Amino acid sequence: MKGFNLFLQFSRFKSLLLALRLKFKALPKFWRVFILSLLIIFAVFISLDLIFPFRPKVQYSQLILDKDEKLLHAFLSADQKWRMQCSLKEVSPLLIKTIIRKEDRWYRYHPGVNPFAVLRAVWQNVSKGERVSGASTISMQVVRLYERRERTHISKLIEMFRALQLEFHNSKDEILELYLNLLPYGGNIEGIKAASYLYFGQAPQTLSPAQVTTLAIIPNNPRHLRLGMNNDRIRKERNYWLTTLAGRGYFNSDDLSMAIREPLNVQRLPAPALVPHFAIELHRKFPDQSIIHTYINQNVQKEIEMVLSSEINRLRAGGITNGAIVVLDNHSNAVIAYAGSASFNENQYLGQVNGCSALRSPGSALKPFLYGLAIDKGVITPRTMLYDVPQDFNGYKPGNYDETYRGTLPASQALALSLNIPAVDLANRIGVSLFIEKLSKGGLNWIEQRKKSLGLSVVLGGCGVTLSELTNFYSCLANQGIYRQLQYVKQNGRNAVDTLFTAESAWMVTEMLTNLRRPDLPNSFESSKHLPHIAWKTGTSYGRRDGWSIGYNPDYTVGVWVGNFDGSGIPDLSGSESAAPILFRIFNTLCSVSQPDWFRKPSGIDFRLVCPESGLPPSEFCENQVMDDYIPSISPNMKCNHKIEVLTDASGQVSYCRACLPESGYRTDFYPNLSPALISYYEEQQVSYKKIPPHNPTCSRIEKSDKPIITSLVDGKEYILYEKSKQQLQLSCNASADVSRVYWYLNNRFYKESLQEEKVFFTPQPGRLKISCSDDKGRNTDIYITISFY
């Protein structure tokens, strides 16, 4: 059936050709010759068009526009011209009518070459004996402006052919748009838009009739009619054409009078160069895009630049010379303000360095994401008690920023105080690889590239991040744990999303970060009535090289960095006193009219009573109870175990196990269930606590669990010592609460007996060494180290 239909169509086409052939033969010879000539000319034109194609690709200056389509920044084109792409809708109708009237009044009707204008030009040039008229149409001028040639008769013929090609492939409006973008205005300025900004400092659609006419007359003679150099001559020529155009009805007498009286005192202006760091970043990311539409809010941008400049000027007295700020709209993850330094032109402070994209150490600023992950993994709730005591994580021994320890405290307080040891301990418990994977999914590219080689030090800033990346990651907490890529430019389509945290954990972390009883509250804001309602976190990198403060509310996320671009540390630099005041000032500016509604508590969060000693549901021995938020079926739900039941003699001097329990003369008591690390800390700090009595010395049972942990040396490590110094190594351990004494062995030879909290020293010999530690319950730990001398 399909083949039959094709046969019918072919038959009809053949019949049509036969009919046309018969009609063509019936025409007079003149018309047959004329039609054949046209077909031949057209065929030759098509062939030449294929052999010598003309498809203009203009190199434009890159323009960076704000959220309202206003020009922020412009870059030179690849051929070093100020040539700003301009569409017809950006130009006033008066300018278009003036250009067409002045340059090519029959532009809408000819095919690129005006034969009557050509004949007139030939007659005038021959009769005068010199070149009087060129007969160039707008299409021909486009060709001449795009392809520079010597002004010869051959060049004119080429221009005509190229003009026909241009008209064949483009509409009249497209050609006119090309023309407006290529008009010369002296020097390296080309096009209506570039001239509007560089001479009048405004967009072409806002030009006055006098300014429109000025720009319309200059391209005929840009060398002698150059704005800023020949203003008087240009004004006279402008007024002549204003009068002519008014006579044609382009505007009334009142407009003419105002336009003629308008002064012309223009000078060449510098190209717009607002938000320089942001513009350069976009120029690097999108080098081939001529117009880039952004979300930059110029009002917010001016405010953050003013705040940053004034605050950095204050901090420079203490040696802190620069800073950077990023402001995001949480509803779109769009950058609405961006300051890479206090001032781009301050060369003495390396102002052209972009602090928003520079790789820096985040200090403690990554901790909120660790706590969010721990909540989602069911490890903690806000009231879960964490240990803040010296610990050894396989050779890594972190300390707190203030060099003090607090024993135990709730997770919410540990985050608010930004304590290091509870955070590292938490990462060690949930698995640091899970935390690093979460960070890499949060857009932290340096971590993504090196995630296989990173360890626990990441928790305390042992990595590299940029302010833009980190600020966007914080906006994930403001968006119920949903991560979206940072939006630098406006684009079609929806931004891809990834759920990194549950809404419940994001809300809990936000509440922790909203707590005002914390050490990173700047002194200048402690009693301020203008403290913004935000969740925020500060960070200070090792060596005090970087100070961070990042905060958010439902509408905005703001990131602030302060420091020195040369990487030098400053004793007075800290995230709380150096960066947080800038953060608070910015939020007070953003929310000067009204505060947004705060985050709603997710329906997946419930509350329960817990024991304040552990943060777990209370057992029968828990005397007090406090309220805590938790996530049903996810949060830890085991009973509180902050105490353990111990069987002792009547005097409480000896403890028993079930194997050695006497038939009578014993009693039951509850003792603190402390970890070996906490016991070691209490002993060292001489903190009194209720100790479990020594175990029955006549007991024959050897317990295998809770063996002592050697903390002073790391299993499998090599220790390189200076031979002449006769250096000693320390032996110390953490043991369970019921241990009183421990016994040390070197290469299976007894070395020394000590109290479990006592530190022991020995002089090592070169080679492999086995170190053993046994407690008074018979539990034993072995490690192996290697000793080398130099």
Side-chain angles (χ1 to χ4, degrees), residues 37 95 97 361 441 716:
S37 299
L95 177 59
K97 290 193 291 185
S361 167
K441 288 183 178 179

Side-chain angles (χ1 to χ4, degrees), residues 153-345:
H153 295 300
I154 298 297
S155 296
K156 182 64 71 173
L157 291 174
I158 294 174
E159 284 177 16
M160 291 180 179
F161 174 69
R162 290 298 200 199
L164 293 173
Q165 287 181 288
L166 196 64
E167 296 269 354
F168 184 72
H169 291 285
N170 300 275
S171 68
K172 287 290 186 179
D173 283 347
E174 289 171 339
I175 296 170
L176 185 60
E177 195 171 283
L178 270 175
Y179 181 64
L180 295 178
N181 283 312
L182 292 172
L183 287 174
Y185 284 96
N188 64 342
I189 301 176
E190 292 186 4
I192 288 290
K193 195 169 188 174
S196 297
Y197 279 108
L198 298 181
Y199 288 124
F200 297 111
Q202 59 193 82
Q205 60 265 43
T206 64
L207 296 175
S208 67
Q211 292 169 332
V212 165
T213 307
T214 300
L215 294 184
I217 64 174
I218 291 176
N220 280 65
N221 194 359
R223 290 185 180 179
H224 297 95
L225 297 177
R226 191 163 180 175
L227 285 166
M229 298 176 63
N230 312 107
N231 286 350
D232 290 338
R233 181 175 178 180
I234 295 172
R235 184 174 56 80
K236 292 177 183 178
E237 186 77 8
R238 178 201 72 183
N239 291 345
Y240 166 78
W241 276 100
L242 282 170
T243 305
T244 301
L245 294 172
R248 300 282 181 178
Y250 281 40
F251 34 78
N252 57 41
S253 58
D254 291 338
D255 292 337
L256 173 63
S257 177
M258 290 179 60
I260 287 178
R261 290 199 305 270
E262 186 173 313
L264 186 65
N265 301 318
V266 300
Q267 296 291 330
R268 177 164 176 172
L269 303 172
L274 301 175
V275 204
H277 295 98
F278 185 66
I280 292 170
E281 183 74 6
L282 295 183
H283 188 59
R284 181 184 64 82
K285 289 178 178 289
F286 310 101
D288 301 323
Q289 197 167 325
S290 58
I291 299 178
I292 298 178
H293 304 268
T294 75
Y295 297 92
I296 292 293
N297 183 320
Q298 288 205 53
N299 293 328
V300 177
Q301 181 69 29
K302 291 175 183 176
E303 290 290 342
I304 72 159
E305 288 178 354
M306 181 187 69
V307 170
L308 182 62
S309 178
S310 65
E311 289 289 334
I312 293 300
N313 284 335
R314 175 181 64 84
L315 292 172
R316 280 175 180 163
I320 303 169
T321 61
N322 238 309
I325 298 173
V326 174
V327 181
L328 304 185
D329 180 342
N330 289 334
H331 304 290
S332 61
N333 278 72
V335 178
I336 64 170
Y338 188 105
S341 69
S343 177
F344 185 80
N345 296 316

